[in-house]
């Protein structure tokens, strides 16, 4: 099969490799669509993310969908020909985190496109059957691939305990911020405030469910939040930008007794935060790491047709153009939201 292999920093080669053979508890999937994630771009540009270092050639890509073409002997709930969305993290099932139901914290997870494990920028992948979820006929492969980032948004609003009728602000309208806005809309938020520096992203945010927007190049965050909430503040503030200033913005925007959810990974480990603000407002702060038990819910939410996630797709490439797609992601960040790559 054809695969796009990262052989060294900023060097992707199209290679022929063997089609994987599914184990008894796995299915073989012909990959139809894969979203290009910021983590993929980071590995491409820097060769590492924190302690995860690319030490040998690797296939990137973990936001994937496709068709089942072969079923392992022990798999009974799936069949050939089904169109599916792929959850990319195979956890151990034995550690305390897995047994508590928070398997996203499993230290032994084998996550697609996280060194040393290959990802889905290739024509076929073999996946454990419990990580493969059928999609309705009405759902496109593109939307099915976007179930993965959408799951981050679903997990964020769950951890943030968002209730119908509440107000939420989302700091950063990149792909994760946009899908989080979509998740908040479907979950019944009354007011969704999208915040960013780029007007084109705020325009898309309106299509994803944002009821209000704040352009930080032109408007003052605190003034606009006070205006929109009549001085009360929001019930839930979510940070998706990976920016120290955005973290600080969540604390100034949230109401007394409100909640903050931090999704974005800041480039610096330590971020200044107002302890007096946290204590005085009695703010609950929660970190968000990937997701767990979101795929069935996410697929159901997206099947309603209330939100069209494909509106965040700005560019499309074939597998042979993968290197060009990565370069586009690096050099045109202002106009590029989500890039979709088609292996087959």
């Amino acid at each position: 099969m054809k695969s796009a292999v990262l052989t060294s920093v900023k060097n992707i080669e199209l290679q022929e490799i063997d089609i994987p053979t599914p184990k008894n508890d796995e299915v073989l999937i012909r990959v139809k669509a894969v979203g290009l994630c910021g983590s993929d771009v980071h590995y491409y540009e820097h060769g590492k993310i924190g302690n995860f270092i690319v030490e040998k050639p690797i296939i990137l890509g973990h936001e994937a969908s496709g068709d089942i073409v072969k079923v392992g002997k022990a798999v009974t709930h799936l069949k050939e020909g089904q169109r599916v969305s792929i959850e990319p993290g195979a956890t151990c099932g034995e550690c305390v985190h897995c047994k508590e139901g928070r398997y996203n914290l499993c230290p032994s997870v084998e996550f697609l496109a996280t060194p040393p494990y290959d990802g889905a920028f290739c024509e076929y992948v073999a996946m454990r059957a419990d990580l493969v979820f059928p999609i309705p006929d009405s759902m496109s492969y593109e939307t099915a691939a976007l179930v993965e980032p959408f799951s981050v948004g679903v997990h964020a609003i769950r951890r943030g305990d968002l209730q119908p009728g509440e107000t939420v602000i989302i700091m950063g309208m990149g792909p994760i911020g946009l899908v989080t806005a979509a998740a908040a809309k479907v979950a019944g938020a009354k007011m969704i405030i999208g915040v960013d520096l780029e007007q084109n992203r705020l325009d898309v945010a309106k299509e994803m469910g944002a009821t209000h927007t704040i352009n930080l190049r032109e408007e003052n965050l605190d003034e606009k939040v006070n205006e929109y909430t009549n001085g009360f503040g929001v019930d839930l503030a979510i940070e998706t930008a990976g920016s120290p200033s955005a973290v600080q913005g969540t604390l100034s925007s949230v109401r007394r007794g409100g909640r903050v959810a931090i999704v974005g990974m800041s480039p610096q480990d330590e971020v200044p935060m107002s302890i007096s603000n946290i204590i005085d407002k009695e703010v609950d702060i929660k970190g968000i790491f990937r997701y767990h038990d979101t795929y069935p819910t996410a697929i159901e939410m997206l099947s309603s047709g209330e939100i069209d996630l494909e509106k965040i797709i700005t560019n499309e490439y074939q597998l042979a153009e993968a290197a060009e797609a990565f370069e586009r992601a690096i050099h045109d960040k202002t106009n590029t939201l989500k890039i979709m790559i088609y292996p087959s």
Side-chain angles (χ1 to χ4, degrees), residues 112 292 344:
L112 293 184
H292 65 78
S344 60

Side-chain angles (χ1 to χ4, degrees), residues 290-324:
R290 292 176 180 160
Y291 43 79
H292 65 78
D293 300 298
T294 54
Y295 266 62
T297 299
I299 290 171
E300 183 178 357
M301 291 171 77
L302 294 173
S303 297
S304 70
E306 189 173 354
I307 290 291
D308 181 8
L309 285 192
E310 290 185 44
K311 289 181 179 179
I312 74 171
I313 300 173
T314 50
N315 310 89
E316 298 177 321
Y317 293 88
Q318 299 303 310
L319 186 64
E321 303 169 311
E324 181 181 346

Side-chain angles (χ1 to χ4, degrees), residues 237-259:
I238 303 176
E239 195 286 321
T240 61
S243 162
S245 62
V247 173
Q248 294 159 1
T250 61
L251 291 174
S252 67
S253 301
V254 73
R255 70 172 175 86
R256 296 171 68 84
R259 292 97 60 198

Side-chain angles (χ1 to χ4, degrees), residues 27-30 32 65-71 75-85 132-135 137 141:
V27 296
L28 182 66
I29 299 167
R30 184 173 180 87
K32 302 298 288 187
S65 65
D67 300 325
I68 296 176
V69 295
K70 190 173 183 180
V71 177
V75 179
T76 58
H77 70 290
L78 297 171
K79 60 185 179 180
E80 292 181 13
Q82 283 184 304
R83 303 166 66 249
V84 295
S85 180
V132 177
F133 298 87
I135 59 173
D137 292 340
Y141 290 114

